[in-house]
Amino acid sequence: MHMSSLFSVAVAGASGYAGGEVLRLLLGHPGVRIGSLTAGGNAGERLGSLQPHLVPLADRVLEPTSVETLGGHDVVFLGLPHGKSAEIAASLGDDTLVVDCGADFRLTDAAAWEEFYGGPHAGSWPYGLPELADQRSALAAARRVAVPGCYPTVSTLAIAPAVAAGLVEPEVSVVAASGLSGAGKSLKPHLLGSEAMGNASAYGVGGVHRHTPEIIQNLGLVHDGDVRVSFTPMLVPMSRGILATASAPLARDVTQDEARAAYAAAYDHEPFIHLLPAGQWPQTKAVVGSNAVHVQVTIDEAAGRLVAVAAIDNLTKGTAGAAVQCMNIALGLDETTGLTTIGLAP
Amino acid sequence: MHMSSLFSVAVAGASGYAGGEVLRLLLGHPGVRIGSLTAGGNAGERLGSLQPHLVPLADRVLEPTSVETLGGHDVVFLGLPHGKSAEIAASLGDDTLVVDCGADFRLTDAAAWEEFYGGPHAGSWPYGLPELADQRSALAAARRVAVPGCYPTVSTLAIAPAVAAGLVEPEVSVVAASGLSGAGKSLKPHLLGSEAMGNASAYGVGGVHRHTPEIIQNLGLVHDGDVRVSFTPMLVPMSRGILATASAPLARDVTQDEARAAYAAAYDHEPFIHLLPAGQWPQTKAVVGSNAVHVQVTIDEAAGRLVAVAAIDNLTKGTAGAAVQCMNIALGLDETTGLTTIGLAP
Amino acid sequence: MHMSSLFSVAVAGASGYAGGEVLRLLLGHPGVRIGSLTAGGNAGERLGSLQPHLVPLADRVLEPTSVETLGGHDVVFLGLPHGKSAEIAASLGDDTLVVDCGADFRLTDAAAWEEFYGGPHAGSWPYGLPELADQRSALAAARRVAVPGCYPTVSTLAIAPAVAAGLVEPEVSVVAASGLSGAGKSLKPHLLGSEAMGNASAYGVGGVHRHTPEIIQNLGLVHDGDVRVSFTPMLVPMSRGILATASAPLARDVTQDEARAAYAAAYDHEPFIHLLPAGQWPQTKAVVGSNAVHVQVTIDEAAGRLVAVAAIDNLTKGTAGAAVQCMNIALGLDETTGLTTIGLAP
Amino acid sequence: MHMSSLFSVAVAGASGYAGGEVLRLLLGHPGVRIGSLTAGGNAGERLGSLQPHLVPLADRVLEPTSVETLGGHDVVFLGLPHGKSAEIAASLGDDTLVVDCGADFRLTDAAAWEEFYGGPHAGSWPYGLPELADQRSALAAARRVAVPGCYPTVSTLAIAPAVAAGLVEPEVSVVAASGLSGAGKSLKPHLLGSEAMGNASAYGVGGVHRHTPEIIQNLGLVHDGDVRVSFTPMLVPMSRGILATASAPLARDVTQDEARAAYAAAYDHEPFIHLLPAGQWPQTKAVVGSNAVHVQVTIDEAAGRLVAVAAIDNLTKGTAGAAVQCMNIALGLDETTGLTTIGLAP
């Protein structure tokens, strides 16, 4: 592949975690050339001082996020605060592939948007979870992609096969432990290292977290009829990773083998989903830095529930890896280009 | 209080985490004198080399765990591997208060014991969770106390008021994130710091963790009829603390106020349980080193579930603090002597 | 001790780490009554929402920091940003004991103050490191106390006995690894948990850290003539604790026994300094939450250097514990009242 | 590059951290084919259960480490306990490239070997630090390579340019903070997560750490005459990374610019060494998972010392990355093949 065949890519929000992770992945992607890097308050600064791990880009200076700096690229990744993507996207040509790592275009239901995010609903774009029923073909034709939230990605992938196969009642409970980078580079007291280290803390309990309607929307695609989801996130003292435990009441007698077969059928051909061997349970460190999803499922007969656990890196498969995966699909590249299933451990 | 009025206390397993934490608390307890400190493989070593934080006891040398070393004390705390307590306890006089931090005497149901622990059931002792219905009076008369498991303590306290008040169906789901000290000072690869840091990992999923029947037993004390519990533990990268999320389907329409009132009624007079103000959620670091339990409850109307979260220090309220609390009750001391509700943060 | 004999204590900066730790210690101090709690931007908030670990004070509401709120107490602790203490202190009566956890009054040398802090030098107060030559008697008579910086405390205590005994040339190198709470509850990107976890980072290298002149000042008290100090701090991923390695060229042949004897002579009567047995090295977790200092010393013959290591909790002995220790001395109480040498581990 | 042109590579010790990291890198290396994977006690197990992050190799079963399993490959990486490499290496053909991640062949001085490691000296092999004077050409011709220790790599690279340029006296002090993976997957109590988290601990103080003579040996290659090194390691609570602070007395007046120029001259052409812009200091997370070395240098005029700080990932540039880098050199491949300077952050 020679220079002229590379896709030109711009990244808005290059000083944040989503933007930084997109860049980390793009630096290893053979099909792209990294164009404009933009930021809000950090415009004018060297990337090296903000993202010191991105050595090959250390001397790049951030430009302001604008139509001028983002225009003229084949692909634009948006890593912006929610509410900021619509205006930028509207100004970019229809033939530009715009991949939004934010929430603005994830929900199809305007009422859910208004309830959980407030303000007017900007609409919805093709949803960047290729492993979910029917999304892959929509993504292949897309020039706009809404990258899923990190919790919805891991929660959906943990329980969707069981819901889709009718093994469980559509009454799903998810409790997910997340590393702090999921909250972004936000200067909030509870995200300080001195507060967060040695600490597991609950937040967004009781159905109020914004990712709740997105999980419901996803499971609605694999189930006819209402789905109810109780979602509880917590912060645990690590930078990256989400471990989600999802469970639901059994709809009928289900054996371990049957449950496993449903998951195997759903995931055996997925390049990034790794159904672990029986008896081995997911851990986040096995997927850190990778686009892999590790999944395991079991039946708790005494409790009458199916229990599934999934692990992802919230910044990779949960954000930037999914973004690159969707870019690959939309550009007609091999879906796995520039991505890996190999985590960084220990 | 002069010397002759102090209770003489021995600690078996003084080199382990439970034993070390018992000693940390006893060093601040005005009513006791620390007698024999015993260990298995570490007998003969200075305590200072094994528990360097216990400076006032640094030069004490560990004796072997035996009837000879443990006999003749008013109180004996046992911090032994499970299966080891029965023989030691049998050799100690009936008037010696024996407080067992292990699992041997927690379960009343021999079949549950055999299913989850294997081997013959040694019987059951008064159960050291004073906040659970009717336990306090039994403990006041006890000369043998079984200290609850850490997960059962936090899980039970999180959901028992809702179950007892009939607010929820007796179909409880608990997902609990624990620090590593809950696994003891065991030399297992997955407990190594290099494995555990930056890692959240699932284990004991699907109803197979040994603490499951203990939670069921506890909730059975506040509910007539069967209780089903789906319990999922996970390890998160911190030394101490458990954060448990417990939820169950609403039995009927329940308002936030009603749920809160049930918890307030159950806990307002409890010296160690702190029902947080509405909107504030538990975090483990607020209770580290203390005997406090922080609890919060809410109603997820859309999901039709009550969700409660509780935080404890697994080594304090989850083990050694409960042990000292029970000792206080059994000896007729003020229940809070030598214990605190003040955590060590940040 | 009945109510009327308790000293009334106010804490300015009660929402910060220094103030919170002072309160944690005062809650266990039998000789004081906690009066006004004040803050800057957090005035009007419940303490429980800011310092959830301080359960007994959860419902106290923070007042604004002012002469009105702080006046009329026997003791006032100041946990304020540097530059804010002088004005407040000037407004408090000369018979009020004012203990400043900030830097304003630590340095006697105005030129050093101006070089490292900028702005005019406010003067100096008795220096709150009782273990340093001749400080204890000055503190006993003081009504103003400057609590040392955390790095100067641990660095000074690590190497002062060797300097004082003439075992080493006065050319000291210190490299100290600190937990993040040493930086306070400051909202800076590099202090975010997602940045700090899994990360060791250098800062303030090359003699530019503000604590450098304070270490030099301290060592100057035990050595006639110039002392040079190369001080390098680093942040490591923990909330609390500093581990300092201090070394200096041997002034002459010195044996291990001789070095040890110098440290034993200096510290054997100090209630908070624990010279570890030969072969055992300090670790911060052994001192977390305590006022203890763990010290060890050795001779590296091949390198021709004496090497000493010391560990403290930066918030306790490094700040609030020292503050309470000095209060005890100044009030004529037992120096150890309300303080412990027992750390919280694991 | 088609199949027949790939070099066949075996890894002994594939269940350990060095072996696992070699495999992680080889999976991304376009010039090799992964052959036998061997282990000691873990032979017969699935790699997926021991190294769950290496998904593409999950179903490979570990063979016993022996001449039979390791023979017949182009390259053999040894990640064995020290003392085990010599025998295996002797049985492998002279034309097999053997890259030893252990210590057996690092030291040229038999007396130093015996003092620090005990037992007979096995000899020395070309030393795998290409950035050190004259090593690269020796490595190009080598069929045996001794990969440096992690501490010697970072310590040497931090201070060698200053020593080589005669800016400092050859009296070097190094204090290095390391993550726990540097200690390997050893089941020792102090390496447990519950002990290590929240803890900074000193060890190997006073010139007794085995890496001391290796640092001296390295600096001896850039300085005529004796070099003295005071080396102090510490463990800090992270999995990966070493941050080393190295300093030495100035040999004469040296300006910041002069110091910087010496480092730039030494490193500007090195593909893996990144001299940070003035004012930016190394942090380990910027290099995690990469083969990069971040370096910064300054002059402390008041202390009369040059101070340099360097950061590496102990498992990558400190072990497995260096091993692959040396393999590339010895096989005539581009030195950077399969390696990156891009770290994984946050």
Side-chain angles (χ1 to χ4, degrees), chain C residues 193-208:
Chain C
S194 40
E195 301 284 320
M197 289 187 282
N199 200 9
S201 60
Y203 74 108
V205 186
V208 302

Side-chain angles (χ1 to χ4, degrees), chain A residues 275-335:
Chain A
L275 178 62
L276 292 170
Q280 188 175 346
W281 287 89
Q283 53 181 286
T284 59
K285 200 138 91 172
V287 300
V288 161
S290 88
N291 209 47
V293 186
H294 287 196
V295 182
Q296 184 58 285
V297 61
T298 193
I299 302 296
D300 181 342
E301 284 180 29
R305 294 180 81 87
L306 177 145
V307 187
V309 177
I312 62 166
D313 183 325
N314 56 299
L315 289 181
T316 319
K317 180 57 179 166
T319 307
V324 170
Q325 184 182 356
C326 292
M327 176 192 78
N328 288 339
I329 295 172
L331 296 180
L333 302 174
D334 184 292
E335 187 174 328

Side-chain angles (χ1 to χ4, degrees), chain B residues 273-286:
Chain B
I273 305 189
H274 184 45
L275 179 62
L276 293 170
Q280 186 174 346
W281 288 89
Q283 53 181 285
T284 58
K285 200 139 89 171

Side-chain angles (χ1 to χ4, degrees), chain B residues 297-335:
Chain B
V297 62
T298 194
I299 302 296
D300 182 342
E301 284 179 30
R305 295 180 81 86
L306 177 145
V307 187
V309 176
I312 62 167
D313 183 325
N314 57 300
L315 289 181
T316 319
K317 181 58 180 166
T319 307
V324 171
Q325 184 181 357
C326 292
M327 175 192 79
N328 288 340
I329 295 171
L331 295 180
L333 302 173
D334 183 291
E335 187 174 330

Side-chain angles (χ1 to χ4, degrees), chain C residues 162-188:
Chain C
V163 173
L167 306 183
V168 294
E169 301 291 347
E171 302 268 346
V172 174
S173 283
V174 181
V175 178
S178 176
L180 266 76
S181 63
K185 214 184 269 189
S186 317
L187 295 178
K188 296 176 183 166

